[in-house]
Structure formats: structure tokens, C-alpha cells
Amino acid sequence: MAQIEIAGLRKAYNGAVAIDGVDLNVASGSFVTLLGPSGCGKTTTLRCLAGFITPDAGAIRVEGRDIMGLGPEGRDFGVVFQNYALFPHLSVFDNVAYGLQARRVPKAEIAARVAEVLGLVQLGHLKDRLPRALSGGQQQRVALARALVIRPQALLLDEPLANLDAKLRFEMRWLIRELQRKAGITALYVTHDQAEAMALSDQVAVMKQGRIAQLGSPRDIYQRPRERYVAEFTGEASYLKARIAEAVGNGRYRVATAGGEVIANGPAGLAAGSRHLLLLRPEALQPGAAGLRATLQGRFFVGSAQHCEMRIGDEVIKLYLPPQAELGEGAAVTLAVDQDAAWLLPDEAAP
Amino acid sequence: MTARPWRLAILGAPALFLLVVFFVLPYGEIVMMSFRTPSSSAPYGDGVTLANYARMFADGHYLGILAETVAVGASITAICLLISFPIALHLSNVGDRWHTLFYACVVSPLLVGVLVRNFGWMIILSFNGPINQILLALGLIDRPVRLLFTVEVVVLALVHVFIPFMVLPITTALRNIPPSLYEASRSLGAGRFATFWRVTLPLSFPGVQSGVILVFVLAISAYVTPVLLGGQFVVLMPTVIVQQLIAAFAWPFGAVLAMILTLSTLTCVLVFAFATRGLARRAAIGRTP
Ligand SMILES: Nc1ncnc2c1ncn2[C@@H]1O[C@H](COP(=O)(O)OP(=O)(O)OP(=O)(O)O)[C@@H](O)[C@H]1O
Ligand SMILES: [Mg+2]
């Protein structure tokens, strides 16, 4: 239960910059996820925090106290590794008890606390097994229990679910969230799976090439991304070139596109006449009476919906139609735009 | 996997042939010889007897030498282990660039033939050799001391040449430990020393076990070094056996001594492996999913 502050964190491996000025504030008790593609520096950030590597520059403070001088053993973080890193020669009980023994907690208390946390992850009956005799999911739960039992200042989790199958990943997601809430513990979680990030987090930090591109609630980064990179990484997205006709309210604009004029949200203070990209999430569009004029270019049936590609001028956008909708290819459709799911982005290609 | 046994048989045939001709047959011969009466005209006579064994066990002299041989072997193994562990620790940590160089340094004792190596020791340790001269020059001694033909020198020379057999298996075991285990240990609050004690040491045990067995077996059966550097002041089992066979021409009794030495070694190894089996099984880093 601690507030963590990372400021200007920088790290290069033999001259190759891995993270380049990461700033992040993790509020006490909150669940923050670092989300980004492979190689963007998520693990490096987490490992700097855990004390496994020393950053070249920057500061890390816990509750306002600088912890850069401390080794990993002094930082009091519970780390969960992608490969679990269970001690292969120790039983489940001894693995979980390890951190308590290192802290010289009395024997009786160790037994009680280990039993309690093993109960939470439903592994009490396996406490005498060696890790190699456990399934992947069970090993993952031991790793979680081992990190939680020391009641650390914060949990640091690096893609803990990456090695599990889809169903188990789903279950573990809830377990992690529930345990974190119950313990009221601060958590920093690393993943490249946007659905996982959204489902778990209070705040998501989308990383891009060693920096944090945007920090916000899952809703924020999904509906109001600051740049195309963030929009792309947080879900299915299409874009239309758009020019602002006029502001019609605070952060609300009438914009002109190749398919006609629509009303869309955007950051406050965009100038009339400026060029932007209109971000359209697939669920923002529905056939309607008024809106964008488009022609159906192609579609495929996925069971719960039909995924369609629509042509507007020389641009193509995606949307989902209900499975029963009957539309022939080449049909002209008018698409109503849900104002709250359409968002204006800076057009990086525009001069 | 059991599909083509004849293929396995063909692959194994040369090894099996060598094993039978050069190991099983001679050993069978020694076992048989140890139960035969002595003869002055042939290696052994026609009679079958237990007298050779009786003589061995009745004579405290030989049992004493056996005990000393085991003790010397055990000391060599222990000293080797103490010296080799830090070397292995270092070797498992160095980057790829330096690895080959360190590796070469470690196996260097094996690159010199056994005779050359031992004559080297004799020159270094002789009355007017460099060691004595240095000690004289430093004023630590007034006149040259006898360094050669002591059990300490035999131990020193054997430790030197057996170190690679200890270092290499331990290095392999240490390299097999995933670095994330050290990180996990540290992040759980264990310092460097506690991490070494609770993670590094137990998980290196499979390597320690191989190294200990290898060095012990080699040390017990070493012949050339004790003879050359120990002379008649250091009398160990292999020396006595060769004396019996060659000098005294007492083949059946020599065979008894050889049998006893082999059985003692085997017993030591089995006791050690049995006593540490739990640790070895747990420490074997399995295929984790
Ligand atoms: N030990 C290292 N030595 C050299 N370069 C490294 C090392 N570790 C990471 N890098 C480089 O630093 C950059 C960031 O790596 P990092 O592991 O932090 O990425 P990541 O976001 O965790 O990626 P992934 O999702 O694949 O785990 C990468 O370009 C990587 O190649
Ligand atoms: Mg990573």
C-alpha cells in the first residue's frame, strides 16, 4: 500500500536506448498497467523498479522516499515473473514461506500466513508438492501467493498470464484483480494484451518506444486517445480524414469528411478549418437515416456479428453489423455515427 | 522409442565389445584369481582358497593402508570442492568472450602429461628447487627442507590435477540455474548471502555430486603421483597392489587387495549417493512448463 513515483527514468543497454524518460505516478492502492508492443520497454521499466537493473538516470520514490540506493531485497516489492521463477527444490509451502523466512517471521506465524494465502489461491491441498508437479495455472497461483504473503508495498507483475491458455488466463485475471482489491495493494502490471489491460486496470499507461505515450483510465485511452498509435493499440479502429467546420460545444465539433458532415468529440480548442483524423471504433457506426454515405465493400460472418468493410471515397472503414443484416456487396448505406465513440485525432501525416 | 531394438544393438555393439574385452573379462579374472592359491611358476596355482582374504583381514597393516587411502582420497575431494566451487561460480558468470580463456585455464592441468607434470613438481619441490630458494631468501628457513615425499605434496599435486573434474560439472549445474530465481529470492527479501545459501548452493548440488564422486574415485586409484612424489614415505593402496603384483609376484594376494579397494570405493560412493539422494532429486532442475 504505497504510492509510487517514477520520474525521468532512462536506461540504455550498451548504447541502445530501451527506456527514455518514463514518468509515471501510481496512486496508493491502484492498479496500473504498462501496455505496449514487444520491445517498447515495459519489462525494463518494471525491472528498474524492482531493483534488478540500475537505470542510467531518473528517480523512483515510494511514499516520497527515494529507493534508488536500495537493492531488490530492501525494496519490499512482490514480484511475479512471466516464467513464475518458483524455486524448483522447495515445496509449495516453502516457496511461499521463503519471503517470510527471509524476514525472520516466527515459525508459527509463517505457518498461519502461508496457510491463509494458499487458501486464497485455493492451493492449500497441494502445499507439499514440488513446483514441477504442478500445472502452469497452479504454478502461477503459487507465484502470486509467494508475492502476496509478504504484504509488500506493491505488486509488480510482468506478463504473468502470458504462458497460460485463454480460459485460464480469463480466470486468473479475475483472481489477480480480486486479490489485489481485497489486499488494497498497489499493483503495477505489464502486458501487451489490451483486453487484459482494460479489464484489470484503474489506469493504463500506453508505452511507445521507451516512453509513456498516454496515461489514463481504460475508457480514456480507448475513447479519447491522444494519438493514432494509442488508438491502434487499444482496439479495432478506422480513420477518416476530417476538416473541422465549426465548434458546436465544448470539445464537440461539426466536421466535414468524404462521406458528409458529422458531429464528433475532440480535445477542446481545435481551430475551425484545421485538418484532423476522425477515429471511428467499429461499434460507433450503425446503418441509420442520416450520417456518412458509404458503400459496402466486403464482409465476413463471425457468428455473433458480421465484420464489414465500408468504402467512403477512397478511404475504408470497418464496422460490425448484426448477424441477420442482409446487405449485398456494393450496396449504398448511410451510417449514423455515435458521437461519443467518434473522436478527433491530430493528423500526423498532414503538413 | 522401443521400435527397433536391433538398431540400438548395432549402435551399442562397439562399446559393448570394448567393455567386455577390456573390463568385464579382466575383472572376472581378478575376482577368480583372488580365490586361488599362490604359485611360484605361474601367476596362480590350481587350488581354490579363502586364505588370501583371511590374510588380508588378519593383518592390520593392510587395513590401515586402506583406511589411509580412503582418508587421503576424502581430503583431496574435500579440498578440491572448496577450491573449485568459487572457480565454478566465477566461470558460470563470465561473459562469452572470456569464457573460453577461463575454461582453458581450468583444464590446463590436464594438458600436461602425467610424467611431465610430476617431474615438474619434483623440480619445483626439490632441495635446491625454487620453493626452497624462495623460502631461504625470505629468511623463513635456515637450510633447505624436505618438501618431496610427504603426503601433503601428494595431496597438493592430486588436487591440482583433479580440479577440472570438480569445476566442470559444478559450472554446468550453476549455468542451469535460471537467473530469475536469484531475482525472485532477492525481491523476496533475501540478501546475497541468504540467496547463495538457499538457492545457489542447493541447486548446484547435482554438479557437486558428480564432481565429488568423480574426484574421489580418481584420487583413490591414483598411482603415478603417489609413487613419484610420495616415494616410500607415502604408501597407499594402489602402490601396495602394484608391489604385490610386480615385486612380490603374489598375484592372488594382489588381486585380493584390488578387490578390497574396489569394493571400498564402491561402498563409499554408494553411501554418499544414498545419503544425498533427496537433495539431488529435488535439486535436479526439471522441465518446467
Ligand atoms: N539485457 C538486455 N541487453 C540488451 N538489450 C536489451 C536487454 N533487455 C532488453 N533490451 C532491449 O531493450 C528494449 C526494451 O526491452 P524490454 O524487455 O523492456 O521490452 P518489453 O516491452 O518488455 O517487450 P516484451 O513485450 O517483448 O517483453 C528492447 O529493444 C530490447 O531489445
Ligand atoms: Mg517484457
Side-chain angles (χ1 to χ4, degrees):
Chain A
M1 262 154 288
Q3 178 257 352
I4 301 173
E5 193 186 340
I6 300 173
L9 208 61
R10 205 175 295 272
K11 173 77 188 173
Y13 297 102
N14 311 317
V17 176
I19 54 172
D20 184 17
V22 170
D23 298 297
L24 183 64
N25 223 321
V26 182
S28 178
S30 72
F31 197 115
V32 175
T33 297
L34 294 176
L35 174 68
S38 187
C40 70
K42 309 180 293 290
T43 298
T44 304
T45 308
L46 202 76
R47 289 171 60 79
C48 285
L49 196 56
F52 301 147
I53 51 178
T54 314
D56 303 332
I60 302 171
R61 283 182 285 271
V62 175
E63 293 285 297
R65 199 169 58 96
D66 192 315
I67 59 163
M68 292 294 260
L70 302 175
E73 65 269 33
R75 296 197 179 188
D76 196 24
F77 290 139
V79 184
V80 179
F81 297 79
Q82 181 175 342
N83 65 359
Y84 319 139
L86 298 180
F87 304 116
H89 58 302
L90 299 180
S91 66
V92 167
F93 180 93
D94 286 330
N95 262 283
V96 178
Y98 193 96
L100 298 175
Q101 287 161 353
R103 286 167 169 70
R104 306 197 187 290
V105 174
K107 266 216 168 83
E109 191 187 336
I110 291 182
R113 276 168 72 174
V114 172
E116 184 198 336
V117 76
L118 283 179
L120 285 179
V121 297
Q122 292 143 29
L123 281 179
H125 57 298
L126 296 180
K127 70 180 167 55
D128 296 320
R129 290 255 187 106
L130 286 181
R132 87 184 65 148
L134 299 178
S135 73
Q138 290 165 339
Q139 293 188 30
Q140 179 60 81
R141 282 185 277 158
V142 176
L144 202 57
R146 184 176 70 175
L148 277 171
V149 77
I150 58 174
R151 297 176 190 153
Q153 304 251 35
L155 269 185
L156 310 180
L157 308 103
D158 190 355
E159 311 215 21
L161 308 184
N163 292 342
L164 303 179
D165 68 42
K167 183 167 169 293
L168 211 51
R169 200 148 52 208
F170 213 75
E171 279 174 34
M172 285 297 300
R173 215 187 256 177
W174 292 117
L175 180 66
I176 290 179
R177 187 60 168 142
E178 189 192 316
L179 291 178
Q180 182 263 342
R181 285 244 173 90
K182 235 187 239 166
I185 200 171
T186 313
L188 190 63
Y189 188 96
V190 161
T191 181
H192 59 252
D193 179 336
Q194 51 95 6
E196 205 167 287
M198 303 254 188
L200 283 167
S201 316
D202 298 315
Q203 299 261 292
V204 178
V206 182
M207 287 192 73
K208 176 187 183 182
Q209 292 170 2
R211 288 169 174 279
I212 290 177
Q214 185 170 356
L215 172 70
S217 68
R219 195 175 287 277
D220 259 353
I221 58 155
Y222 185 76
Q223 296 188 338
R224 291 178 286 280
R226 216 176 283 150
E227 54 181 302
R228 185 167 173 165
Y229 173 89
V230 174
E232 210 114 286
F233 208 78
T234 47
E236 195 75 66
S238 324
Y239 312 90
L240 281 181
K241 291 209 182 78
R243 200 167 47 78
I244 295 189
E246 60 168 340
V248 294
N250 189 24
R252 185 158 285 208
Y253 306 89
R254 193 157 55 79
V255 297
T257 70
E261 287 198 343
V262 291
I263 305 286
N265 287 329
L270 299 181
S274 61
R275 293 191 177 280
H276 289 270
L277 276 184
L278 179 61
L279 163 70
L280 296 167
R281 297 291 188 186
E283 66 276 9
L285 300 164
Q286 267 173 20
L292 298 168
R293 291 178 303 279
T295 44
L296 183 68
Q297 177 174 302
R299 59 174 179 164
F300 56 93
F301 184 72
V302 296
S304 61
Q306 302 182 72
H307 288 189
C308 303
E309 290 196 331
M310 294 293 199
R311 174 165 286 280
I312 295 178
D314 56 358
E315 293 160 302
V316 174
I317 62 173
K318 292 181 215 121
L319 77 144
Y320 304 152
L321 286 180
Q324 66 276 12
E326 283 296 341
L327 279 177
E329 272 177 32
V333 189
T334 305
L335 296 172
V337 178
D338 174 0
Q339 300 174 5
D340 293 317
W343 177 254
L344 288 164
L345 293 172
D347 184 359
E348 284 137 45
Chain B
M1 290 309 276
T2 56
R4 304 222 173 89
W6 54 270
R7 234 189 213 185
L8 272 180
I10 290 178
L11 285 176
L16 205 62
F17 176 78
L18 288 175
L19 201 66
V20 168
V21 171
F22 293 105
F23 187 75
V24 177
L25 292 183
Y27 246 93
E29 176 84 3
I30 286 183
V31 172
M32 196 193 60
M33 208 191 302
S34 69
F35 293 104
R36 289 306 180 91
T37 49
S39 159
S40 49
S41 54
Y44 51 86
D46 296 330
V48 174
T49 173
L50 283 175
N52 303 320
Y53 283 93
R55 176 180 157 206
M56 213 283 318
F57 283 110
D59 195 339
H61 177 62
Y62 295 106
L63 288 178
I65 292 177
L66 179 68
E68 180 167 2
T69 308
V70 171
V72 168
S75 333
I76 290 171
T77 311
I79 296 171
C80 254
L81 181 60
L82 286 181
I83 296 177
S84 301
F85 205 96
I87 300 178
L89 214 50
H90 184 71
L91 201 61
S92 67
N93 272 328
V94 294
D96 290 336
R97 188 158 16 135
W98 292 101
H99 189 244
T100 318
L101 179 70
F102 281 112
Y103 208 82
C105 289
V106 167
V107 298
S108 64
L110 298 176
L111 301 178
V112 183
V114 57
L115 283 179
V116 175
R117 194 173 57 240
N118 281 309
F119 281 122
W121 280 114
M122 289 170 90
I123 292 168
I124 292 176
L125 297 166
S126 64
F127 261 110
N128 36 22
I131 300 268
N132 264 320
Q133 304 215 334
I134 290 170
L135 290 179
L136 277 174
L138 289 176
L140 292 173
I141 50 175
D142 309 328
R143 52 202 168 81
V145 289
R146 196 193 73 190
L147 297 168
L148 274 174
F149 313 123
T150 57
V151 73
E152 288 82 4
V153 160
V154 173
V155 169
L156 171 71
L158 287 178
V159 164
H160 169 245
V161 69
F162 292 153
I163 275 179
F165 296 99
M166 191 68 93
V167 169
L168 297 185
I170 298 179
T171 306
T172 308
L174 287 171
R175 285 196 155 220
N176 277 337
I177 303 177
S180 60
L181 294 186
Y182 301 132
E183 291 171 353
S185 169
R186 299 282 303 279
S187 72
L188 286 166
R192 283 172 201 280
F193 183 74
T195 299
F196 176 81
W197 193 247
R198 294 212 56 197
V199 178
T200 317
L201 210 51
L203 287 180
S204 69
F205 189 73
V208 171
Q209 194 184 40
S210 329
V212 162
I213 292 177
L214 215 55
V215 169
F216 182 73
V217 169
L218 288 171
I220 289 266
S221 56
Y223 172 67
V224 177
T225 301
V227 163
L228 290 181
L229 301 184
Q232 71 248 85
F233 294 95
V234 181
V235 180
L236 298 176
M237 275 307 255
T239 327
V240 177
I241 294 171
V242 173
Q243 271 170 5
Q244 289 296 326
L245 298 182
I246 307 230
F249 206 64
W251 285 69
F253 189 63
V256 165
L257 295 180
M259 287 292 300
I260 292 300
L261 181 61
T262 307
L263 289 176
S264 313
T265 313
L266 208 62
T267 311
C268 289
V269 168
L270 287 179
V271 166
F272 174 70
F274 186 76
T276 56
R277 75 196 182 290
L279 201 51
R281 189 165 40 84
R282 289 179 145 237
I285 296 178
R287 292 151 289 141
T288 40

